[in-house]
Amino acid sequence: MATAVWAAARLLRGSAARCARPRFGPPAHRQFSSGATYPNIPLSSPLPGVPKSVFATVDGQEKFETKVTTLDNGLRVASQNKFGQFCTVGILINSGSRYEAKYLSGIAHFLEKLAFSSTARFGSKDEILLTLEKHGGICDCQTSRDTTMYAVSADSKGLDTVVGLLADVVLHPCLTDEEIEMTRMAVQFELEDLNMRPDPEPLLTEMIHEAAFRENTVGLHRFCPAENIAKIDREVLHSYLKNYYTPDRMVLAGVGVEHEHLVECARKYLLGAQPAWGATGAVDVDRSVAQYTGGIIKVERDMSNVSLGPTPIPELTHIMVGLESCSFLEEDFIPFAVLNMMMGGGGSFSAGGPGKGMFSRLYLNVLNRHHWMYNATSYHHSYEDTGLLCIHASADPRQVREMVEIITKEFILMGRTVDLVELERAKTQLMSMLMMNLESRPVIFEDVGRQVLATHSRKLPHELCTLIRNVKPEDIKRVASKMLRGKPAVAALGDLTDLPTYEHVQAALSSRDGRLPRTYRLFR
């Protein structure tokens, strides 16, 4: 009875309110929550009663240095603290195509494609991905000429699961016949794509290494040759893994994790673990030092139909000229890095803007002056025992000779007077690029892992910035002059009818002005 009375009273109140409300006219004024609380306080003044904000301060120093612990089996554990919910953890291995001299070339390429497949604990790649998804994780594997990297980014709370999964992926892969066959198809497709893509830079990089370090270490094929695809099987892979996937050649690196927790997980999953291939110690490890040879690699190819469509890319010939620099362990590595930044370059079209390198030498002296050149870019590849500084250029096949001469002139100018303004600009740009890249957690992870793998320690960003600031004009001139005394490496792709001979390129780089020797033709 009481409920019925309450409902009737509510209905009557509602009817009375509807009758009292005017049918037409502006709606009643609505009070916003902020307006009533702080009615007349300008945005430039702090709100009363609100706690004072505490902002982060920047003093150029990292408060948390990279911690490194070596386990009893030789495996190194390195970590860098970085606050946040997620972490990046991975295993880096001193393994890659440079160690394949005694094996079938292409094993590292196969292992990259086979990564995160079925293991002793996980029946398929899908199971691995589902396990990672529970912690918001993703995984990746990358191989280079000297390093193989397995990495996972996930929620820090799942660190134990992630390290256990990484240990299983690295040490206990099943390598089933079906997975190997699928990998053969993936490698075949990648090789076809490499030869068809409009951007030839990956192929040219492969060719320039092959020319510079002929048939040794970093000059060995990074991509699996087509003739080896059918030959690589589980037995071949195990024979390689037995020698190179050993604890003393590994680093477990983590960013955004507590070091003690990471070491505890490493001891749990990686200390005393018996790998799938049985052996625990390396038997036959290649310790060859890179031998720079110089030379030329030419691939004649019709590039006229590389990119068809309504706006096709014009037919271009691509040239890369390189000289031996130094390893990343030497003191001259920093001057070479500054020199590479000073050369800069890029494509003939760029949106410009700060930090794009529009005031680098290859833009000012080459692309801005020679409108017919489509590309001029400097690259610096550095390894633990050698390095390679090279310039890649692209132009119409009819202007190949002139393009090569422009490149050789730029190499000669490297050993001449260095303008202080351009040097300071290059140093500032290099430091800026370094610091901006190290804002990313995966980049910090790779930096930590690679440095600890190579040197057992890590130089912090502010230490590297100090080394960059200390580079003087005479340092640039010294390293460039030393580099120019070596033999060149040349890679050429496309229509090579007008390509100068290797001897002429070598003579130009030995001359005072970088000019190619004159050639005379009786008939054209």
Side-chain angles (χ1 to χ4, degrees), residues 8 22 62 90 157 162 214 301 489:
E62 280 200 48
K157 295 174 183 175
V162 166
R214 195 171 291 271
R301 181 175 295 170

Side-chain angles (χ1 to χ4, degrees), residues 404-406 408-409 412 416 508-509 511-516:
V404 172
E405 187 170 83
I406 288 168
T408 55
K409 284 180 179 178
I412 294 298
R416 300 285 172 81
L509 289 169
S511 67
R512 291 179 59 85
D513 57 4
R515 291 181 179 274
L516 291 166

Side-chain angles (χ1 to χ4, degrees), residues 26 97 105 147 157 163 192 194 243 360 366 374 385 396 400 472 487 493:
S97 58
S105 185
T147 308
K157 295 174 183 175
V163 175
E192 292 173 5
L194 187 70
N243 286 318
S360 61
V366 179
Y374 280 78
D385 51 3
D396 186 278
V400 168
K472 302 288 190 296
K487 291 174 63 178
L493 175 68

